[in-house]
Amino acid sequence: MARSLNQVTLMGNLTRDPELRQTPTGQNVCSFSLALNRSYKDQSGEWQEATDYIDIVAWGPLGERVSQYLSKGRRCLVQGRLQSRSWEQDGQKRSKVEVLAQDVTFLDSRVGGEGNEGGGGYSGGAGAGSSSSSSSSSDKPKPSKKKDDVVIEDVGDEPINLDDIPF
């Protein structure tokens, strides 16, 4: 029998704060929803905007980190798989397709709150985004500049010429 592939990668904004719950066995489960914006041309050639809303479920330590670091409006990248489930509610059969998250990358910077002005992604690792305001600059020796250190300069707003990329 041939194997199937069930892999999803989504990037969007949280529509609500994540909800962390525990199962009767003590397992943590976090549920949240992503808004995915897209643009398309309609039959008249006009650009239209549409938004899709996708429910996400993250289990265990991943769910704990999501509920701790993400909130409504924040951007994230979710990698996981589709999962369908069904149940009966008020005598009617219900079903739902959701994404079971295997990895969540936090895309907004944790410091500064709104937007992504600070650039960079926050991956939720321990100690990331924290700073100590009580230590002075003389507490730690500054690293000496080596000949092999890479210096990255701002490239400005010019478009990138693909022929200039060496690979």
Side-chain angles (χ1 to χ4, degrees):
M1 183 165 129
R3 292 190 64 171
S4 300
L5 177 65
N6 183 355
Q7 188 173 3
V8 176
T9 302
L10 303 170
M11 183 177 72
N13 295 66
L14 270 72
T15 62
R16 56 185 164 86
D17 288 340
E19 180 184 337
L20 184 64
R21 301 180 316 278
Q22 275 192 339
T23 64
T25 61
Q27 180 77 8
N28 286 326
V29 59
C30 179
S31 58
F32 60 101
S33 182
L34 284 183
L36 311 172
N37 300 316
R38 58 187 167 90
S39 300
Y40 64 95
K41 282 188 178 181
D42 61 12
Q43 290 180 344
S44 66
E46 296 289 320
W47 281 101
Q48 300 292 324
E49 296 283 328
T51 304
D52 297 311
Y53 301 95
I54 306 295
D55 291 326
I56 316 288
V57 176
W59 288 86
L62 177 62
E64 293 171 30
R65 285 192 304 274
V66 166
S67 71
Q68 181 179 2
Y69 293 108
L70 289 180
S71 58
K72 180 179 178 178
R74 303 293 294 271
R75 290 184 335 136
C76 71
L77 178 80
V78 175
Q79 295 175 316
R81 62 182 174 86
L82 289 176
Q83 172 179 280
S84 63
R85 59 187 177 101
S86 57
W87 68 97
E88 192 170 314
Q89 182 178 5
D90 299 330
Q92 291 197 350
K93 289 190 175 187
R94 304 269 187 176
S95 63
K96 180 180 201 176
V97 175
E98 57 198 2
V99 173
L100 181 61
Q102 294 166 334
D103 186 44
V104 177
T105 303
F106 312 148
L107 299 177
D108 289 334
S109 68
R110 185 168 168 223
V111 181
E114 302 296 321
N116 196 15
E117 291 83 35
Y122 178 68
S123 62
S130 65
S131 64
S132 173
S133 58
S134 63
S135 65
S136 65
S137 61
S138 62
D139 287 350
K140 297 180 185 173
K142 295 194 179 199
S144 61
K145 200 119 165 117
K146 296 179 186 173
K147 185 176 135 184
D148 296 340
D149 281 353
V150 176
V151 177
I152 300 174
E153 297 178 16
D154 190 10
V155 293
D157 292 331
E158 306 102 33
I160 296 173
N161 183 353
L162 295 179
D163 294 332
D164 293 340
I165 300 175
F167 47 88

